Amino acid sequence: MILFIIITQQSLHAPMYYFLSMLSATDLGLTVSTMSTTLGILWFDAREISLDACIIQMFFLHGFTVMESGVLVTMAFDRYVAICNPLRMNVLSHSYCYHPDVIKLACSDTQANSICGLVGLILTTGIDTLCIILSYILIIHSVLSIASPQERCKVFSTCVSHIGAVAIFYTPMISLSLVHRYGQSAPKVVHSMMANVYLLLPPVLNPIIYSIKTKQIRKAVLNLLLTK
């Protein structure tokens, strides 16, 4: 009943009620996982169980126990934040927590935080980008020394999937950073769209790119589909 009410009532779609629904679901899972043997003992005095059924029941019993313990810990932390440190509750500007949302919580000057973030970005993504560029400079230098045009095309074709993966990862990330840095006056839908593109585009397109360009993966996928 609790699960049904929380799912159907729009006014209850809030973190506290989500936790209650998760707690109800784990309680239900615990009950269902032990119901077969419990009813068997109470109704038929059946006190024997096969080894496979025992292992399956233990898996679900311990699994739901760990889940319920985790939900209770999360609920305790949520209550702590709401009561002892309510200012830590944050409103998301995107579908996930992005560092500008955290910066907004600061009551003091955030220039130092911005500098640290920029330095961290340069030391990670910046160096990675330079290494990728250097790698392809060396690749191009080596390919240009190959006399046969067919061999050049073959070598370049092996890099297409990786170049595509690099482009669909770094382009949305840089665009999102630029929008946050210079596009404060842009509509919120632009910020939200760029954030979701950065989050969703690489996981969606990377498997497609590598499946198309990698012969072994393409062949395995086709065999799997044709077999079914």
Side-chain angles (χ1 to χ4, degrees), residues 79-136:
R79 291 300 86 203
Y80 160 74
V81 172
I83 295 172
C84 300
N85 205 350
L87 292 179
R88 294 186 64 124
M89 303 298 281
N90 193 11
V91 178
L92 297 176
S93 60
H94 306 311
S95 56
Y96 54 92
C97 190
Y98 194 51
H99 69 269
D101 296 325
V102 180
I103 294 295
K104 292 177 183 177
L105 297 177
C107 300
S108 58
D109 185 21
T110 60
Q111 185 176 2
N113 303 79
S114 300
I115 293 174
C116 288
L118 179 61
V119 171
L121 186 65
I122 293 173
L123 291 177
T124 54
T125 308
I127 292 178
D128 292 344
T129 304
L130 290 176
C131 289
I132 293 172
I133 294 173
L134 177 61
S135 297
Y136 277 100

Side-chain angles (χ1 to χ4, degrees), residues 188-216:
K188 289 185 178 180
V189 66
V190 175
H191 292 258
S192 179
M193 182 184 69
M194 291 306 305
N196 287 316
V197 167
Y198 166 64
L199 181 69
L200 299 175
L201 196 65
V204 171
L205 293 185
N206 278 338
I208 298 175
I209 291 173
Y210 276 95
S211 297
I212 293 174
K213 293 300 298 179
T214 306
K215 182 178 179 180
Q216 291 83 353

Side-chain angles (χ1 to χ4, degrees), residues 5 29 32 63 73 77 116 162:
I5 290 173
V32 172
V73 171
F77 181 74
C116 288
H162 181 257

Side-chain angles (χ1 to χ4, degrees), residues 1-13:
M1 185 179 295
I2 290 175
L3 285 171
F4 177 77
I5 290 173
I6 294 175
I7 291 172
T8 56
Q9 297 296 319
Q10 189 71 27
S11 60
L12 299 181
H13 290 181

Side-chain angles (χ1 to χ4, degrees), residues 131-199:
C131 289
I132 293 172
I133 294 173
L134 177 61
S135 297
Y136 277 100
I137 290 174
L138 296 176
I139 289 171
I140 293 172
H141 182 267
S142 298
V143 170
L144 292 178
S145 64
I146 300 175
S148 172
Q150 292 80 9
E151 288 296 324
R152 290 183 184 179
C153 292
K154 184 177 180 181
V155 172
F156 274 127
S157 66
T158 63
C159 301
V160 171
S161 56
H162 181 257
I163 294 173
V166 169
I168 64 176
F169 176 77
Y170 283 104
T171 303
M173 182 180 67
I174 295 172
S175 302
L176 180 60
S177 300
L178 291 175
V179 165
H180 273 284
R181 181 65 180 86
Y182 300 106
Q184 287 87 352
S185 59
K188 289 185 178 180
V189 66
V190 175
H191 292 258
S192 179
M193 182 184 69
M194 291 306 305
N196 287 316
V197 167
Y198 166 64
L199 181 69

Side-chain angles (χ1 to χ4, degrees), residues 48-86:
E48 293 182 353
I49 185 173
S50 67
L51 179 60
D52 292 339
C54 180
I55 293 174
I56 293 173
Q57 187 179 60
M58 286 175 59
F59 172 79
F60 284 105
L61 178 63
H62 292 295
F64 282 114
T65 300
V66 172
M67 288 171 62
E68 179 151 355
S69 177
V71 172
L72 291 173
V73 171
T74 307
M75 292 176 72
F77 181 74
D78 177 69
R79 291 300 86 203
Y80 160 74
V81 172
I83 295 172
C84 300
N85 205 350

